[in-house]
Amino acid sequence: DILYVPTTMQFSICFLDITNFPYDIHQCSLTYRSWTYDHEKVMLTFKEDIPAMDMTSYLDSDEWKVIPVKAKHSITNDSFSLLTYTMII
C-alpha cells in the first residue's frame, strides 16, 4: 500500500439562495475521484478511516455556520472510487 497525501488548497462554489437569510439552510457537497485510474489501481480512503470532513483548519464565520455531514465512499458505475463530503450551511 502507498499513502500519497499531496498538499493542496481547494476552492469550490456552492450557490446559495439567501432569500430567507438568516433562516435558510443549504447543502453543499465536495466529491473527489481519480480522473484516470479506476478503483483497482487507486482506492480513495478517508484520513485515519474517519468518514468526516476535517474541520480543524476551518475559521468560524459570523455570517454562517458550517455543519459537516458524515462523508460517503462509493464506487461509480464505471469503477472509479469516490469520496463525497457534504456540509450544511
Side-chain angles (χ1 to χ4, degrees):
D1 291 348
I2 297 173
L3 174 63
Y4 175 62
V5 184
T7 302
T8 63
M9 181 178 291
Q10 299 160 21
F11 300 89
S12 67
I13 296 173
C14 184
F15 295 102
L16 307 176
D17 177 3
I18 57 172
T19 304
N20 298 316
F21 183 80
Y23 304 106
D24 52 342
I25 297 174
H26 304 280
Q27 180 172 311
C28 300
S29 296
L30 301 171
T31 301
Y32 299 90
R33 68 168 264 184
S34 168
W35 283 89
T36 53
Y37 299 107
D38 68 14
H39 77 280
E40 296 290 329
K41 295 196 169 126
V42 173
M43 178 59 76
L44 299 177
T45 59
F46 297 112
K47 179 181 176 183
E48 299 174 3
D49 291 323
I50 301 171
M53 192 176 297
D54 182 355
M55 300 289 287
T56 55
S57 297
Y58 176 72
L59 300 175
D60 288 331
S61 169
D62 293 333
E63 299 290 325
W64 58 76
K65 183 176 183 180
V66 174
I67 303 167
V69 176
K70 185 176 178 180
K72 296 178 185 175
H73 177 264
S74 59
I75 304 293
T76 65
N77 290 337
D78 53 351
S79 299
F80 287 88
S81 177
L82 280 174
L83 295 181
T84 303
Y85 296 86
T86 303
M87 65 191 97
I88 305 293
I89 300 175

